[in-house]
Amino acid sequence: MMAQVEWTKSGIPSKESIIDAAAAGMVSRHDDEYKEFMPDISFERAKEFLKKMIRLGHDSVLEHIVFQFWVSISRVASHQLVRHRIASYTQKSHRKERKLTLDDFVIPEQLDGKDREEWIDDIKKYIKTYEKWLEKGYAVDIARRKLPQETRTDLIMTINARSLRNFFRLRAEHVADFEIRDMALKMHMLIEKENLIFLFEDIPIE
Ligand SMILES: Cc1cc2nc3c(=O)[nH]c(=O)nc-3n(C[C@H](O)[C@H](O)[C@H](O)COP(=O)(O)OP(=O)(O)OC[C@H]3O[C@@H](n4cnc5c(N)ncnc54)[C@H](O)[C@@H]3O)c2cc1C
């Protein structure tokens, strides 16, 4: 399986946090006091207000809305992912000795039939090589250098809506590497299911 993406327990921004973000925008634009306009903001009104903020380019308001995902991808994709600096990551360490299986590698879906089998044979060789250096008595820090970039890693990603918009713009389009794009599209789908896509609907997803 390629990229896997799921919400964490508190990963979906609450309706209250959407209203709070809109209220933050209103603090900047309304003449009346926060305590006066705040109680009357419905989710629908917050949504329309935030869409207006996006149209006006008042994007910093979106930093008040935070998403969190559990992600499982290859080291190739995680290397690309962490270049997105405006997010927080906690990633599984490969410094711990583990019994590796085929599930610890991300196999490209583009491979068919015999080529897939040949690819899997290569992975088995990588596992054997990794084990060989451990058996020789070397530390995992040494042995793990033999693992290929397709080795799977799990991570937690926390990202605000403004930065996520930038991420989708760069990674959910055709020019991006197929795996990080797969990850971006899966995140996009999860957000769509929660009816929060209004925060991203102006960004072309191809
Ligand atoms: C198709 C594609 C190909 C790529 N190829 C390469 C490559 O060959 N080599 C390579 O090194 N990278 C490559 N990248 C990575 C790319 O250059 C970015 O590092 C990555 O996409 C993260 O984008 P970002 O900096 O906008 O995101 P973030 O780091 O999340 O930053 C978000 C935004 O914050 C602002 N920002 C953040 N930090 C600074 C800062 N220090 N100064 C000013 N503004 C800042 C910018 O507006 C930025 O857009 C590629 C990316 C894509 C999508």
Side-chain angles (χ1 to χ4, degrees):
M1 205 188 300
M2 288 223 297
Q4 298 172 44
V5 184
E6 289 175 18
W7 292 115
T8 62
K9 207 166 181 180
S10 66
I12 306 168
S14 65
K15 283 195 170 179
E16 288 78 10
S17 74
I18 301 289
I19 292 171
D20 279 343
M26 289 174 192
V27 164
S28 81
R29 301 181 78 82
H30 282 195
D31 290 334
D32 45 347
E33 287 299 315
Y34 172 82
K35 283 183 186 163
E36 284 162 24
F37 65 71
M38 182 60 190
D40 297 329
I41 310 172
S42 65
F43 179 71
E44 280 311 309
R45 184 153 167 248
K47 193 172 149 180
E48 290 314 310
F49 187 83
L50 288 171
K51 281 162 76 172
K52 189 168 116 189
M53 292 287 95
I54 291 169
R55 281 197 302 276
L56 293 173
H58 195 351
D59 286 4
S60 62
V61 167
L62 304 177
E63 293 170 21
H64 297 291
I65 304 168
V66 177
F67 296 78
Q68 195 180 64
F69 302 92
W70 169 86
V71 177
S72 183
I73 46 178
S74 72
R75 284 269 173 177
V76 181
S78 77
H79 180 78
Q80 294 173 325
L81 181 62
V82 299
R83 294 297 303 280
H84 292 266
R85 295 158 288 182
I86 315 299
S88 303
Y89 308 93
T90 303
Q91 186 166 359
K92 186 180 210 159
S93 171
H94 281 114
R95 299 190 75 185
K96 201 169 156 234
E97 189 175 327
R98 283 187 295 136
K99 182 83 196 136
L100 296 175
T101 68
L102 285 181
D103 289 342
D104 291 300
F105 300 85
V106 176
I107 301 172
E109 282 169 355
Q110 293 90 329
L111 300 165
D112 46 43
K114 271 186 138 346
D115 286 342
R116 188 178 155 83
E117 281 171 31
E118 191 178 333
W119 195 277
I120 288 175
D121 284 345
D122 283 348
I123 294 177
K124 288 177 182 163
K125 285 180 208 151
Y126 298 136
I127 296 176
K128 279 210 170 86
T129 308
Y130 169 76
E131 288 170 348
K132 180 184 82 180
W133 289 100
L134 287 175
E135 281 158 16
K136 277 173 173 278
Y138 287 96
V140 191
D141 277 356
I142 302 289
R144 69 178 177 144
R145 281 169 161 70
K146 288 295 183 185
L147 293 175
Q149 290 202 77
E150 64 185 316
T151 308
R152 185 178 284 284
T153 182
D154 294 357
L155 56 92
I156 300 293
M157 177 185 190
T158 307
I159 185 165
N160 69 50
R162 183 185 193 181
S163 189
L164 191 52
R165 284 170 57 77
N166 182 52
F167 179 74
F168 283 150
R169 243 183 243 115
L170 294 169
R171 303 299 186 173
E173 61 158 11
H174 278 300
V175 72
D177 175 272
F178 66 89
E179 190 187 350
I180 197 163
R181 180 166 176 263
D182 181 48
M183 174 194 158
L185 294 179
K186 283 173 179 158
M187 288 163 83
H188 198 270
M189 264 179 340
L190 287 178
I191 292 169
E192 204 161 12
K193 276 193 194 147
E194 298 303 324
N195 294 322
L196 294 173
I197 212 67
F198 68 92
L199 293 165
F200 308 95
E201 63 193 0
D202 57 317
I203 298 167
I205 301 295
E206 292 165 36

